[in-house]
Amino acid sequence: MKIEQIYTGCLAQGAYYITSNGEAAIIDPLRETQPYLERLERDNVKLKYIFETHFHADFVSGHVDLSKETGAPIIYGPNANPEFEAIIATNGQDFTIGNVTIRALHTPGHTMESTTYLMIDENGQEHAIFSGDTLFIGDVGRPDLAQKAAHMTQEQLAGILYHSLRDKIMTLPDDVIVYPAHGAGSACGKNMSKETVSTIGNQKATNYALRANMTEAEFIKEVTEGLLPPPAYFGMNVAMNKQGYESFETVLNNGMRAINAKDFETVAEDTGALILDTRNNGDFAKGFIPQSINIGINGDFAPWVGALIADVKQPIILVTEAGQEEESVTRLSRVGFDNLIGHLEGGFEAWEKAGKETDAINRITSEEFAKKVQIGESKVIDIRKESEYAAEHVDEAYSKPLANINEWIKDIDPKEPFFIHCAGGYRSMIAASILQARGFRNFSEIEGGYNAIAKTSVPTTDFVCQSKTL
């Protein structure tokens, strides 16, 4: 028996590849199937089942394509009603893979079809659970994502989750390994650990939601408290996972269509495409195609695309570093942005060589900021998360999280100068590109963000541990 956790950092997502005696199973696969097919060939095993813990909201799963390519059936838990052929397991139903057994434990609450898969090893011992979004390391799944579909309040779903955890999961032996679908950075929970593996016993001892003697009312209050609004693309990803989608190969072929600098503008205008520049923020600041939005591939790319572009049907045309075209397309497809028109052939360098118009961001160093800023008079916008701001910030800076930019941008005075920063420059360049695309040019973006500012003489508030501000 072998269990491999295939963890994708930019999505904070864990898929699982299991083999035993010539057979294999895959749990919660990502959109691109080639890595799984290569593993199957390498290990000379047959894929017997594709298990889905629930209809994912934060990414598009590869279950449909993988089933078509291998013939393996897709398995969901009770209450699932996908629009493609699948096995809908009953609570307690067993599936064999080689010498091991996978048992479906219906654990609703995050969503009503949420199912945890219990692995029983060759010796008949309860070995591990693949808990999806029901149980994370340090947290549990947020109960507000399925309200409309389940016709329930988040409080009602939280109550159901309380009993799922206590009746189905906490009754398992303490040495059972916990393999969750997500880790820190995912929007599917609020307090997830950076660790991606644990045990039932450890979670009973450390996870706030699994406290002994915790009442249902206490659980509901604590699990629903402090939830940020889910990203707008979540509902669209659920629909794609439930209804099916365009094959990844088709999406990849479209995105890999090269468009020369001469035709680029015309194609963008004719299709209504958003120009998405995935280069690093330092290069983007120095020069870019006017109206481009910068979300760097070397960061939390896919989640920010989903949060800020929101509509997965939005046509997109790419500008990337040379050789990063396929990676950019792949990461977009993972969160359902399939309407790709193509990419700029030769990248931004080709645009410049063609003598086309360019734009730039007014980026200043933290030392320049320290010389220019006048605390109490200058307007400073901090776009980090509220918890980051609460921990420590520039004196009298405004807290305006990037995730809410479409709301607070309406209140910006186009004539009043201001400074903008995040923690290190990645998010503030996203904000700067959006601001400039909408006509604002009265700001300076600070290179290195708060991490650099904190090393200057600029007055800041005292540090408060972020865990105490949640």
Side-chain angles (χ1 to χ4, degrees):
M1 177 186 74
K2 182 180 76 171
I3 302 171
E4 182 182 355
Q5 182 184 65
I6 307 170
Y7 198 77
T8 304
C10 68
L11 283 176
Q13 190 268 346
Y16 296 92
Y17 171 70
I18 303 160
T19 59
S20 175
N21 195 23
E23 294 182 332
I26 295 174
I27 300 175
D28 293 338
L30 279 186
R31 181 81 177 269
E32 63 275 20
T33 60
Q34 192 57 35
Y36 309 117
L37 299 176
E38 290 172 356
R39 281 173 169 81
L40 294 167
E41 184 176 0
R42 175 197 68 194
D43 296 336
N44 192 28
V45 294
K46 176 179 175 60
L47 183 62
K48 191 172 183 182
Y49 297 115
I50 301 160
F51 292 97
E52 288 287 345
T53 55
H54 64 296
F55 293 120
H56 303 283
D58 60 315
F59 72 96
V60 177
S61 181
H63 55 310
V64 175
D65 279 352
L66 195 56
S67 181
K68 288 177 181 176
E69 291 164 0
T70 64
I74 302 165
I75 297 173
Y76 278 97
N79 295 331
N81 187 27
E83 297 181 19
F84 44 80
E85 187 174 347
I87 296 172
I88 306 303
T90 57
N91 180 55
Q93 185 172 347
D94 288 344
F95 300 86
T96 59
I97 295 96
N99 299 325
V100 304
T101 299
I102 301 291
R103 179 170 296 162
L105 303 178
H106 188 211
T107 50
H110 172 64
T111 65
M112 288 306 292
E113 79 282 355
S114 286
T115 297
T116 295
Y117 295 104
L118 170 65
M119 170 181 279
I120 299 168
D121 67 18
E122 300 95 327
N123 301 314
Q125 299 298 308
E126 295 168 327
H127 179 78
I129 57 169
F130 303 91
S131 54
D133 287 18
T134 295
L135 175 63
F136 298 126
I137 310 307
D139 201 0
V140 293
R142 57 190 296 171
D144 62 323
L145 299 184
Q147 292 177 73
K148 292 180 181 178
H151 304 291
M152 295 178 181
T153 66
Q154 65 179 16
E155 287 76 18
Q156 289 172 317
L157 284 162
I160 292 171
L161 180 59
Y162 172 85
H163 290 286
S164 290
L165 291 164
R166 277 154 179 78
D167 299 343
K168 301 282 182 63
I169 291 180
M170 292 177 69
T171 56
L172 296 169
D174 283 354
D175 62 353
V176 168
I177 301 167
V178 178
Y179 291 113
H182 293 292
S186 168
C188 294
K190 62 180 180 180
N191 193 44
M192 283 180 265
S193 168
K194 292 181 181 178
E195 300 298 320
T196 60
V197 180
S198 186
T199 63
I200 295 290
N202 179 269
Q203 287 308 290
K204 286 180 181 178
T206 61
N207 191 321
Y208 77 98
L210 303 190
R211 287 199 313 272
N213 303 318
M214 188 182 203
T215 68
E216 182 175 343
E218 289 172 334
F219 178 89
I220 292 170
K221 181 178 183 297
E222 293 186 37
V223 167
T224 58
E225 197 170 53
L227 287 174
L228 296 175
Y233 77 101
F234 269 27
M236 300 176 203
N237 274 198
V238 169
M240 292 176 73
N241 282 317
K242 189 173 183 178
Q243 298 168 4
Y245 44 74
E246 191 77 74
S247 76
F248 171 72
E249 290 302 319
T250 299
V251 176
L252 180 61
N253 289 336
N254 290 340
M256 292 303 291
R257 186 186 299 124
I259 303 168
N260 63 43
K262 178 183 176 183
D263 298 331
F264 190 85
E265 283 178 292
T266 301
V267 172
E269 290 175 4
D270 289 348
T271 59
L274 178 147
I275 303 172
L276 180 60
D277 192 319
T278 69
R279 295 176 298 150
N280 72 65
N281 60 79
D283 289 338
F284 181 85
K286 296 172 186 175
F288 57 89
I289 298 172
Q291 302 298 306
S292 297
I293 302 301
N294 174 240
I295 304 180
I297 194 72
N298 295 319
D300 292 332
F301 175 71
W304 279 120
V305 168
L308 297 173
I309 300 176
D311 183 2
V312 297
K313 295 180 181 179
Q314 167 66 48
I316 293 173
I317 192 167
L318 291 166
V319 179
T320 75
E321 292 283 0
Q324 288 289 319
E325 299 88 357
E326 183 170 343
E327 181 69 12
S328 298
V329 172
T330 298
R331 293 202 192 180
L332 285 167
S333 73
R334 288 174 181 166
V335 286
F337 287 82
D338 289 0
N339 194 3
L340 303 179
I341 308 304
H343 66 273
L344 175 60
E345 185 177 23
F348 184 68
E349 287 185 5
W351 183 266
E352 286 185 303
K353 288 178 181 177
K356 297 286 189 175
E357 180 185 358
T358 64
D359 203 349
I361 297 293
N362 181 28
R363 165 169 269 192
I364 63 173
T365 66
S366 56
E367 290 79 13
E368 290 176 294
F369 173 65
K371 292 176 182 177
K372 293 180 178 181
V373 70
Q374 296 181 351
I375 301 299
E377 295 183 24
S378 301
K379 186 171 186 177
V380 180
I381 294 179
D382 183 334
I383 67 158
R384 297 175 299 163
K385 293 186 293 185
E386 290 177 348
S387 59
E388 294 173 274
Y389 176 87
E392 190 176 18
H393 59 264
V394 172
D395 276 352
E396 301 196 36
Y398 292 86
S399 176
K400 301 289 184 182
L402 174 59
N404 303 332
I405 190 170
N406 288 324
E407 284 75 48
W408 59 255
I409 198 171
K410 302 169 188 174
D411 300 323
I412 295 292
D413 183 343
K415 296 181 180 178
E416 180 186 14
F418 64 95
F419 300 97
I420 191 166
H421 76 84
C422 62
Y426 180 85
R427 287 173 288 179
S428 56
M429 190 54 65
I430 297 175
S433 67
I434 293 171
L435 285 163
Q436 208 140 300
R438 298 190 189 179
F440 295 94
R441 308 192 76 89
N442 52 316
F443 65 91
S444 298
E445 185 268 346
I446 304 165
E447 183 179 11
Y450 189 81
N451 296 337
I453 294 169
K455 297 174 183 177
T456 70
S457 60
V458 174
T460 60
T461 61
D462 292 335
F463 176 76
V464 178
C465 179
Q466 288 191 43
S467 64
K468 296 179 181 179
T469 67
L470 294 176

